[in-house]
Amino acid sequence: MLDAIFERFVKLSPVSVMVRGLMERVLNTEQLDSIFENHAKSQYTRELLFSSIVDLMSLVVCGIYPSVNAAYRAKASELNVSRTAVYDKLNGIELDVSAALLRETAASMTDVMEFLGDSPPKLLAPYQIRIIDGNCLAATDHRLEALKPYAAKALPGKSLVVLDPDLKMAIDVFPCEDGHAQERSLFESVLQRVKPGELWIADRNMCTQGFLFGICNASADFLVREHKTLPQEAISELEFQGDIETGSVFEQTVALTYEGSCLKVRRVVLRLKKVTRDGDWEIAILTSLPKTVASATDITQLYRERWSVETLFQIVTKNFEGEIQTLGYPKAALFSFCLALVSYNILAVVRRALGSVHGVGKIESSLSEFYLVDEIQGTYRGMTIACEPDNWSHLKALSLSQLADFLLDLAGRVNLKSFLKQPRSPKKKKPPLIVDSRHRHLSTARLLDQARQSP
């Protein structure tokens, strides 16, 4: 039996209850500490558990508290350790642990999604599509002694993130402490994760012989934008395949050679009607997909899905605190970024539940992540204080189907109008600004009076 206070939060802010319930299940203490024990190599647990750090930092990443210090002050009595101990633990979290945190919690949330009703149609059944792209963390403050003498921006690291566009979830990450490292230095780690039946989509920075051949050697396929430096031999001439909204599509067969092996692939060229921001009139795409699976025009549409990973980065940057300026140590900065990806995945599960109840099309086109996160941030702290721990702990014992029913029930209570995007009218062309060097200031009241008096 749920108490009256909890029922009031269910009634007035079901979205916040959905997120809190998912966090209780996905970020439970046992699973988090198990991740640490299985993947930590040098760091160990003495007084502060890894699950306690995740609980603390999740409040900062989700914007519930404005800083690590503010979250520590709120949780100090529960943690029962010094502030220094918290920062020491945070600064030493190994990259394998941060990556495993995202990977294993994403697997748990994928299991939940299977019980949330019919999923949207796959982009290219039966392939499991993996979109990979790099992300460089924003510069941090110069708080560390090693950074103070320099005026240049301090980059705490970068990573390669793998997105499943069918689930709209980040399912894997490959972090790197060196902010100046080449993305290609991480390819060996990525290839170890490639599985048969997958289709890897990437930008031209990933277009190297070793990476493409490595994907094929793992019985998977690739769809990658061509890099101009990639050696290739044309086997056939370009042939017109049809027109799409953005231009004309052509195709030919080319041969790639690497370490004595030869691979024949399709080269699809899109000749654009409008130049890109980089000044390109053509986009060439290399793929190992057979023609029986996807036509040339299908290939161009699939490549456009690569931008969904850019949307992921935008949502994480704008709605979550995944790049905390005060965290100068690379391990701490990368951990907070991985935790922001976990938070994004929780939001993806909430979106799936809402789509099952209110319609996938409406959620995909109209739901605003900004209003959704704003509601959660505004409610979460008060909800945590007001509701008893027993209101959440029972969720751990629910089966996946019972948890899905719980989420779907809450999704049906959501007033969707509160979270829809505000439609915008088409942008009007602005006339050139009036520049008058003799008058550097204007009176708003006088200009409004002139506008009212003019015919």
Side-chain angles (χ1 to χ4, degrees):
M1 180 69 69
L2 302 179
D3 61 34
I5 295 177
F6 185 78
E7 282 286 7
R8 187 161 178 80
F9 279 104
V10 168
K11 179 180 178 180
L12 298 179
S13 186
V15 165
S16 301
V17 178
M18 291 172 74
V19 170
R20 180 66 180 85
L22 279 168
M23 291 179 70
E24 185 71 24
R25 181 60 178 266
V26 175
L27 300 179
N28 66 81
T29 301
E30 294 78 10
Q31 181 178 357
L32 293 177
D33 290 332
S34 175
I35 290 173
F36 181 82
E37 292 297 327
N38 292 334
H39 296 278
K41 296 177 182 177
S42 59
Q43 200 177 33
Y44 57 90
T45 298
R46 179 177 295 171
E47 296 178 344
L48 184 60
L49 295 173
F50 176 67
S51 55
S52 300
I53 285 291
V54 174
D55 179 52
L56 176 76
M57 288 302 298
S58 65
L59 299 176
V60 183
V61 167
C62 292
I64 310 302
Y65 286 97
S67 67
V68 178
N69 186 54
Y72 169 77
R73 291 168 69 91
K75 292 277 189 178
S77 59
E78 297 178 29
L79 295 173
N80 199 28
V81 295
S82 67
R83 184 185 289 104
T84 301
V86 170
Y87 276 104
D88 286 344
K89 184 83 170 183
L90 181 59
N91 295 337
I93 293 176
E94 298 168 54
L95 301 188
D96 287 346
V97 174
S98 296
L101 173 65
L102 173 67
R103 190 165 56 248
E104 297 191 21
T105 56
S108 299
M109 284 184 268
T110 300
D111 293 338
V112 175
M113 277 192 172
E114 293 180 359
F115 291 89
L116 290 177
D118 295 334
S119 60
K122 287 192 172 185
L123 292 174
L124 189 66
Y127 284 87
Q128 297 290 332
I129 298 181
R130 304 289 180 253
I131 300 177
I132 184 169
D133 200 7
N135 179 70
C136 185
L137 297 183
T140 63
D141 293 340
H142 289 214
R143 295 191 174 192
L144 306 182
E145 288 297 328
L147 301 177
K148 289 181 179 179
Y150 300 95
K153 294 182 178 179
L155 303 180
K158 59 172 46 179
S159 61
L160 293 178
V161 179
V162 181
L163 173 73
D164 185 329
D166 291 318
L167 297 176
K168 291 182 171 51
M169 286 176 52
I171 60 171
D172 210 345
V173 64
F174 301 89
C176 175
E177 293 183 65
D178 186 355
H180 280 172
Q182 285 279 349
E183 293 175 352
R184 298 178 179 183
S185 64
L186 302 174
F187 283 177
E188 184 176 348
S189 299
V190 176
L191 290 174
Q192 293 175 5
R193 299 251 178 228
V194 177
K195 298 178 182 178
E198 293 179 340
L199 172 63
W200 287 73
I201 301 177
D203 199 5
R204 52 189 163 192
N205 288 336
M206 315 284 175
C207 187
T208 67
Q209 294 166 305
F211 190 59
L212 301 186
F213 274 78
I215 292 174
C216 290
N217 291 339
S219 300
D221 286 286
F222 61 81
L223 194 157
V224 180
R225 185 174 176 182
E226 176 189 280
H227 197 285
K228 291 181 179 179
T229 62
L230 183 74
Q232 59 183 270
E233 180 184 353
I235 295 178
S236 65
E237 298 293 329
L238 281 172
E239 296 181 1
F240 177 70
Q241 301 296 317
D243 290 320
I244 61 173
E245 181 183 355
T246 53
S248 301
V249 181
F250 298 81
E251 183 180 338
Q252 67 179 148
T253 302
V254 299
L256 306 179
T257 305
Y258 179 67
E259 294 183 345
S261 300
C262 182
L263 180 65
K264 292 183 180 180
V265 300
R266 299 164 63 190
R267 181 174 182 264
V268 177
V269 178
L270 173 61
R271 291 179 178 169
L272 300 166
K273 296 178 182 178
K274 186 178 180 181
V275 68
T276 67
R277 62 185 181 185
D278 295 327
D280 298 325
W281 284 100
E282 284 188 354
I283 293 178
I285 304 166
L286 299 175
T287 183
S288 58
L289 285 174
K291 293 183 179 181
T292 54
V293 172
S295 66
T297 54
D298 292 334
I299 296 300
T300 59
Q301 296 300 326
L302 281 170
Y303 181 74
R304 292 182 67 178
E305 289 295 325
R306 193 195 68 80
W307 286 102
S308 58
V309 75
E310 300 291 347
T311 304
L312 180 155
F313 292 145
Q314 185 180 32
I315 292 173
V316 168
T317 303
K318 288 189 174 182
N319 298 305
F320 300 107
E321 299 298 326
E323 299 177 338
I324 302 174
Q325 274 190 295
T326 55
L327 295 181
Y329 284 100
K331 287 185 175 68
L334 289 164
F335 170 73
S336 66
F337 176 70
C338 291
L339 196 51
L341 293 177
V342 173
S343 303
Y344 170 87
N345 287 345
I346 291 175
L347 206 61
V349 179
V350 172
R351 288 176 61 98
R352 173 66 71 86
L354 292 173
S356 297
V357 174
H358 299 279
V360 175
K362 190 169 188 178
I363 296 301
E364 292 298 322
S365 62
S366 304
L367 187 69
S368 168
E369 286 83 4
F370 173 82
Y371 292 128
L372 206 60
V373 174
D374 182 67
E375 167 73 12
I376 297 164
Q377 291 173 341
T379 308
Y380 195 95
R381 286 174 69 172
M383 183 173 62
T384 303
I385 295 171
C387 295
E388 295 292 335
D390 290 342
N391 294 139
W392 309 108
S393 59
H394 78 282
L395 295 175
K396 296 179 183 179
L398 296 180
S399 66
L400 291 178
S401 61
Q402 290 173 331
L403 178 61
D405 290 340
F406 174 74
L407 295 174
L408 292 172
D409 176 60
L410 291 171
R413 303 172 186 237
V414 173
N415 179 14
L416 200 60
K417 291 182 180 179
S418 302
F419 305 108
L420 297 182
K421 297 176 182 177
Q422 182 67 31
R424 294 183 58 181
S425 57
K427 291 184 178 180
K428 298 179 181 179
K429 189 175 181 180
K430 295 182 179 179
L433 296 176
I434 300 173
V435 179
D436 187 349
S437 59
R438 296 173 300 175
H439 299 90
R440 296 184 177 274
H441 305 283
L442 298 171
S443 169
T444 303
R446 292 185 183 183
L447 290 176
L448 291 174
D449 287 339
Q450 291 175 15
R452 283 192 289 266
Q453 294 171 7
S454 61

